[in-house]
Amino acid sequence: MSSEGRRSPPGARLLVVDDEATQRRMLSSILSRAGYNLATAGNGEEAIEELSAARFDLLLTDQRMPGIDGLALLERARSLQPDLPVILMTAYGSVSSAVEAMKRGASDYLTKPFGADELLLVLEKVLRQQSLEDELASLRTMLKDRHRLGGLLGQAAVMQELFSRMERIADTDVPVLIRGESGTGKELAARAIHALGPRANGPFIALNCAAIPENLLESEFFGHEKGAFTGAEQACAGRFEQAHLGTLLLDEIGAMRVELQAKLLRVLQEGEVQRLGGRKTIPVDVRILAATGENLEQEIERGRFREDLYYRLNVVPLPLPPLRDRPEDIPLLLEHFLSRASERLDRPVPLLEPSALDQLQGYPWPGNVRELQNVAERLVILGTGERVGVVDLPDAIQRGGLGSGPSSGGVTLPPEGLRLTEVEHSLITQALRRSRGNLGPAAKLLGISYKTLQYRIRKYGIDRAALD
């Protein structure tokens, strides 16, 4: 293809550096006709001034120049614009000089004398490669952003739905009740909602209601004045005051005693607190997020949780799925935890064999994401090689986390016999109905792994939607 028929990337801006004026004019003529936007420099010092003043898509520089030569300019250019592709031109086209240039980060090189076609071909190749790298980096960023919200990670449909709901409620100021098993990331969800909302610049205060002694919980909530009780040697602001103009997370809200729930309800209704031992009320402007792993509806029936407080907190429910219900997220989470642990511990990132990954995805994860993180750190710490097989996994995961399963002691074979496939199909159907189609609880009822249940459902062609 002739130089007249080539097309340059639209808007590509090049900096051409050569200490010979004749060479600069020749290059400018070829590149201008090809449609490139050009700037030129007669030496390394001028080139650095140009690079400091504007951004370029490519640097084309002579290697041998007085003062700052091409290799030195290459290093200076990459320090100013790290992603800038650089092509060196040299009349001394030995293998050693080419290797040195590529080692220092050059994208390619041209040996003088070269023709217009060769010049344009190399430019197009380098710019196209840079464009592909930029596009790949952009896609990776998009994927990372799409699979992450704050400290939560997930590509499963249930997590994408969760992220969408969190983004919608973050802009509001209504209370949110975050529900989920231990280790599902309830505090991470609360922090993400705070960071996405209008109070992001305000404080985020977390109070674990189950971790503070009952006799100190009221003081933690509302603060106290000096002398309010034995040991109160100075006045102290409570968590509501500390969270003023920000967000207060009431973690393990179900552990709060009923009489304190009444005082909390009054604060939520009136927007003011009164310190223990104090007489004046203090206005507070706080967004409330509550979190629990308990069944609050049962606690209400038992008289251990106020129904009016429940409805006050549960304006927007936010259920977090257990890890067993999103096994497709396990590879993504593992990659994240392994990389983070390897960096922190200065150890190599272990490579999981497919069989080990299958075993991890089939495990029910009673400790959820927190348990997975602990396993990842253990693999990094105790790993003896680069690869991790099933034998390297914790014993419980090697066994699949299976319980004893339904006892066979009371099962009697009828005289006419039976078909095991029909019995298995029936048991799976019953378990799915009882668990309302949720695979994790159904697998637990059957005493088999999540992956095994998935296989059986496919084997028998069971339609979960038809079981409702």
Side-chain angles (χ1 to χ4, degrees):
M1 183 185 295
S2 70
S3 61
E4 298 298 330
R6 296 188 184 279
R7 292 184 302 171
S8 66
R13 180 169 168 78
L14 275 57
L15 175 60
V16 177
V17 187
D18 200 300
D19 60 320
E20 296 183 10
T22 303
Q23 185 76 358
R24 287 200 307 276
R25 286 195 295 270
M26 182 269 290
L27 292 170
S28 296
S29 175
I30 295 172
L31 297 174
S32 296
R33 287 201 307 270
Y36 290 103
N37 296 318
L38 296 180
T40 62
N43 54 54
E45 288 82 359
E46 290 179 11
I48 291 171
E49 290 180 6
E50 292 281 352
L51 290 167
S52 301
R55 292 196 62 82
F56 292 90
D57 297 305
L58 185 141
L59 170 63
L60 177 65
T61 179
D62 192 18
Q63 179 173 340
R64 189 172 185 181
M65 297 184 295
I68 299 176
D69 66 8
L71 289 176
L73 177 58
L74 165 65
E75 294 184 354
R76 294 290 298 276
R78 298 302 291 272
S79 68
L80 292 169
Q81 298 183 27
D83 297 328
L84 180 68
V86 179
I87 299 174
L88 265 74
M89 302 175 291
T90 176
Y92 309 91
S94 66
V95 173
S96 59
S97 63
V99 169
E100 180 64 21
M102 302 299 276
K103 279 183 177 179
R104 297 199 189 185
S107 301
D108 212 327
Y109 69 98
L110 287 162
T111 304
K112 296 179 181 180
F114 50 80
D117 283 348
E118 184 183 359
L119 169 64
L120 295 175
L121 183 65
V122 171
L123 285 174
E124 288 174 4
K125 183 188 73 172
V126 170
L127 286 169
R128 185 167 58 248
Q129 179 64 31
Q130 185 65 32
S131 177
L132 289 173
E133 290 177 3
D134 292 343
E135 184 178 353
L136 181 59
S138 177
L139 286 172
R140 283 174 175 164
T141 300
M142 287 174 60
L143 285 172
K144 184 178 179 181
D145 291 344
R146 187 165 46 185
H147 295 161
R148 177 192 294 271
L149 190 66
L152 296 173
L153 289 173
Q155 59 188 355
V158 289
M159 291 301 290
Q160 294 301 302
E161 184 178 333
L162 173 69
F163 292 167
S164 177
R165 172 175 279 207
M166 289 170 62
E167 288 170 344
R168 291 198 301 273
I169 64 180
D171 288 335
T172 70
D173 220 18
V174 299
V176 178
L177 181 59
I178 305 170
R179 308 185 73 159
E181 298 175 8
S182 177
T184 50
K186 295 187 288 294
E187 183 170 338
L188 292 177
R191 289 183 180 277
I193 292 170
H194 170 73
L196 290 169
R199 296 175 179 264
N201 292 328
F204 177 89
I205 303 296
L207 175 63
N208 189 328
C209 302
I212 299 173
E214 277 198 5
N215 60 326
L216 296 179
L217 195 55
E218 190 170 353
S219 171
E220 287 287 337
F221 261 90
F222 310 123
H224 60 261
E225 298 293 350
K226 181 178 180 179
F229 52 84
T230 303
E233 298 179 355
Q234 59 184 7
C236 182
R239 300 301 175 91
F240 271 92
E241 287 183 68
Q242 295 171 22
H244 182 59
L245 299 181
T247 301
L248 176 61
L249 169 64
L250 304 176
D251 200 5
E252 301 296 343
I253 187 70
M256 185 185 301
R257 66 180 191 270
V258 175
E259 56 269 28
L260 188 54
Q261 293 174 26
K263 295 182 179 181
L264 171 61
L265 182 63
R266 186 168 62 249
V267 173
L268 298 181
Q269 291 170 340
E270 299 175 3
E272 57 185 24
V273 297
Q274 184 174 345
R275 293 181 180 178
L276 291 179
R279 296 183 178 180
K280 66 176 183 178
T281 57
I282 303 170
V284 288
D285 179 6
V286 176
R287 182 180 189 176
I288 298 296
L289 304 177
T292 184
E294 297 184 39
N295 187 327
L296 293 185
E297 292 80 5
Q298 287 184 0
E299 294 299 291
I300 291 171
E301 292 178 3
R302 295 167 180 165
R304 294 202 288 250
F305 200 85
R306 292 181 61 108
E307 188 173 12
D308 48 3
L309 177 59
Y310 170 78
Y311 287 117
R312 186 81 185 192
L313 296 173
N314 195 34
V315 176
V316 178
L318 189 70
L320 302 189
L323 185 56
R324 62 180 173 273
D325 285 353
R326 52 185 186 109
E328 61 267 46
D329 281 342
I330 288 175
L332 176 70
L333 290 163
L334 269 174
E335 180 184 3
H336 172 71
F337 291 138
L338 288 171
S339 298
R340 197 166 70 175
S342 297
E343 182 178 356
R344 180 169 58 84
L345 299 168
D346 195 24
R347 303 278 182 89
V349 180
L351 178 64
L352 289 171
E353 294 180 355
S355 57
L357 185 57
D358 286 344
Q359 195 75 9
L360 289 163
Q361 287 187 282
Y363 179 66
W365 296 106
N368 291 293
V369 179
R370 185 182 296 123
E371 182 184 5
L372 178 63
Q373 181 178 1
N374 292 342
V375 168
E377 291 187 351
R378 172 178 171 173
L379 293 176
V380 172
I381 294 170
L382 300 181
T384 56
E386 295 182 355
R387 303 182 70 85
V388 173
V390 174
V391 295
D392 301 307
L393 301 177
D395 291 342
I397 298 177
Q398 290 187 44
R399 294 194 302 269
L402 302 181
S404 58
S407 172
S408 59
V411 178
T412 303
L413 183 69
E416 68 276 12
L418 52 77
R419 297 182 64 183
L420 285 174
T421 55
E422 292 179 358
V423 173
E424 190 172 49
H425 183 285
S426 176
L427 289 172
I428 291 173
T429 301
Q430 291 178 52
L432 288 170
R433 282 202 176 101
R434 189 179 300 181
S435 66
R436 298 180 180 178
N438 293 315
L439 298 190
K444 189 173 182 180
L445 286 170
L446 295 165
I448 59 178
S449 71
Y450 188 100
K451 297 280 283 187
T452 300
L453 178 57
Q454 283 184 314
Y455 168 74
R456 299 288 189 222
I457 289 172
R458 289 195 299 269
K459 175 183 175 181
Y460 294 121
I462 298 173
D463 184 1
R464 284 189 285 160
L467 297 177
D468 296 336

